[in-house]
Amino acid sequence: MAKLVLEKVEKRYAGFHAIKGVDLAIDDREFIVFVGPSGCGKTTMLRMIAGLEEITGGDFSIDGVRANDIPPDKRGLAMVFQTYALYPHMTVAENMGFALKMAKVPKREIKQKVAGVAQMLQLDLVLDRRPKELSGGQRQRVAIGRAIVRNPRGFLFDEPLSNLDAVLRVQMRTELVRLNKQLETTMIYVTHDQIEAMTMADRIVVLNGGIVEQVGSPLELYNNPANLFVAGFIGSPKMNLLEGEITARDGNGVVVKLDDAGLVRVEGANVDAAVGTKVTFGTRPEHTLLGSEGSISGTVDFVEHLGNETLVYVTRPGKKQMIVRTDDLSVVRTGDPVRMIPQAGRAVLFGPDGKALLRRKFHLH
Ligand code: ATP
């Protein structure tokens, strides 16, 4: 069990207000990802939860018990860092069992426990090797195994995959999610990589400048970004954002006159704004179609063929560049004039305060 609750949690360093009142309830067994740009406070949040950093305001509890002043080793939370810091002179088995040895657990018990965890992490064939004889991915797994053998109530990961190459990262991503289900423990994972956040999290916490911008499932954040920050942060390439004004409403949505282009439609009966409201209109590259008609025109600047998809970068003189994602290989070439049609049923709208003006329904099939 590890239900973690933060209430109005603050962190003030001498002269710097790093975390500005965070409320967050993390359920037992949840896989939570903290994501946000550099310096937004991800690591500070994790270190306060671990007990490595003092909480300077608000309350933090573990399973209903106030934990602000509980020392790190009594919280039952294991932290795994980007730098795995294994003991170079010890074997994999010795590294993994070290904490248990220090806690005077009987040797046979340690051996059994280490063997079980090694099997879970596919390290059973390398238990007698030293860290320098392992691949980066294996070393990271030893660091995770070292945490698992201690039977923690929860795991705290601080960018643990940053040192691995792209293939290993993808592999470890799935392994960590599998471990979360297998061990039935709470996991908090810090990353600046929104793809990691989208692929691993039950819920993502988007941080920005020491505040929480939004908490939700990956698809909730993708479909219903609460504000312009989340809209720009989640999704790669980024959402196209254009300024405009609502010029008409009907039963099924609104019409927006873009400042630097023509009229676009946003379908969604629950748009919460009147005619005349200044808005930011958002259309993701994958929801923006190229066509011979369409109210937004520009010139193809360059085309990236990625195999499974093509990204078309469109410049509009004196206006913002836009990106279109398509799976049509034949499409266009640099220099071609193009028109773009945003899909009315997928577009989003934000008010003058940057907050979302509609909430889309979406279903997982
Ligand atoms: P990154 O992705 O770059 O690691 P982060 O989101 O993890 O960033 P933190 O390390 O949590 O960010 O830092 C949050 C803010 O607090 C940053 O602006 C940082 O400069 C500041 N900060 C961190 N530690 C201290 C400290 N000991 N004293 C003063 N300010 C600090």
Side-chain angles (χ1 to χ4, degrees):
M1 271 286 285
K3 183 174 163 63
L4 310 176
V5 178
L6 291 87
E7 288 171 290
K8 301 192 171 41
V9 162
E10 305 236 357
K11 178 69 193 183
R12 284 174 194 276
Y13 292 109
F16 189 75
H17 198 180
I19 301 294
K20 301 167 184 160
V22 166
D23 290 307
L24 181 66
I26 299 172
D27 280 332
D28 184 32
R29 303 176 193 190
E30 246 194 318
F31 199 120
I32 289 283
V33 176
F34 291 167
V35 72
S38 183
C40 69
K42 307 177 291 289
T43 299
T44 301
M45 288 269 293
L46 200 71
R47 288 176 60 84
M48 286 195 291
I49 290 170
L52 301 173
E53 202 70 69
E54 189 201 352
I55 296 171
T56 49
D59 289 309
F60 168 55
S61 67
I62 307 175
D63 294 330
V65 177
R66 190 173 189 274
N68 290 47
D69 304 317
I70 298 180
D73 57 329
K74 299 282 186 299
R75 294 189 183 196
L77 303 173
M79 189 134 170
V80 179
F81 298 93
Q82 178 181 345
T83 48
Y84 0 92
L86 302 176
Y87 297 110
H89 58 287
M90 290 186 197
T91 63
V92 167
E94 286 164 349
N95 265 290
M96 282 170 67
F98 187 69
L100 301 183
K101 189 175 167 193
M102 288 293 104
K104 307 241 177 334
V105 174
K107 265 191 187 156
R108 249 193 44 205
E109 210 176 300
I110 298 179
K111 202 168 169 196
Q112 248 176 8
K113 185 105 208 199
V114 167
V117 174
Q119 200 167 25
M120 188 188 293
L121 294 170
Q122 295 159 34
L123 290 169
D124 34 347
L125 298 179
V126 298
L127 277 174
D128 294 329
R129 292 200 201 161
R130 292 185 205 288
K132 70 171 190 309
E133 298 162 331
L134 301 176
S135 71
Q138 286 170 326
R139 272 179 229 159
Q140 189 53 277
R141 283 204 289 264
V142 176
I144 293 166
R146 188 172 54 177
I148 296 175
V149 295
R150 291 166 46 205
N151 253 346
R153 293 197 278 184
F155 291 86
L156 309 175
F157 296 103
D158 193 0
E159 307 231 16
L161 309 185
S162 305
N163 289 338
L164 307 182
D165 70 37
V167 175
L168 266 178
R169 281 177 80 119
V170 173
Q171 185 189 335
M172 286 300 293
R173 241 156 53 186
T174 23
E175 284 188 26
L176 283 177
V177 173
R178 188 176 49 76
L179 268 181
N180 172 245
K181 306 294 170 242
Q182 197 174 346
L183 296 170
E184 301 188 332
T185 49
T186 311
M187 292 187 173
I188 306 179
Y189 186 99
V190 161
T191 181
H192 60 271
D193 178 344
Q194 51 107 6
I195 304 275
E196 266 180 25
M198 291 296 283
T199 51
M200 297 173 86
D202 290 323
R203 285 191 303 154
I204 298 174
V205 177
V206 181
L207 287 162
N208 179 31
I211 62 154
V212 172
E213 294 278 3
Q214 190 172 4
V215 182
S217 71
L219 288 184
E220 174 71 22
L221 267 53
Y222 177 82
N223 286 298
N224 281 319
N227 53 45
L228 279 170
F229 180 81
V230 178
F233 192 78
I234 298 287
S236 175
K238 284 185 190 317
M239 186 185 277
N240 299 301
L241 294 168
L242 306 163
E243 305 305 318
E245 181 180 322
I246 296 180
T247 55
R249 286 188 68 108
D250 60 33
N252 196 29
V254 296
V255 176
V256 174
K257 165 74 183 78
L258 298 174
D259 291 352
D260 60 10
L263 299 176
V264 286
R265 242 191 99 67
V266 180
E267 273 166 23
N270 59 353
V271 174
D272 180 20
V275 169
T277 307
K278 296 272 182 212
V279 292
T280 304
F281 169 87
T283 175
R284 294 201 181 276
E286 52 274 36
H287 303 147
T288 311
L289 311 178
L290 290 175
S292 53
E293 295 176 7
S295 53
I296 314 172
S297 55
T299 307
V300 175
D301 189 17
F302 59 98
V303 181
E304 283 177 354
H305 290 293
L306 302 174
N308 61 330
E309 62 183 22
T310 298
L311 300 177
V312 182
Y313 294 78
V314 180
T315 50
R316 302 178 306 137
K319 303 166 188 171
K320 262 193 205 161
Q321 183 196 56
M322 288 181 66
I323 306 177
V324 175
R325 174 187 260 150
T326 170
D327 52 12
D328 182 355
L329 290 178
S330 63
V331 276
V332 285
R333 291 167 204 278
T334 299
D336 284 355
V338 284
R339 286 182 169 273
M340 288 163 285
I341 313 169
Q343 288 182 307
R346 302 302 301 260
V348 288
L349 274 186
F350 302 92
D353 58 358
K355 295 204 175 117
L357 290 175
L358 88 160
R359 217 184 136 71
R360 293 207 170 281
K361 291 198 179 75
F362 64 93
H363 304 283
L364 268 182
H365 296 290

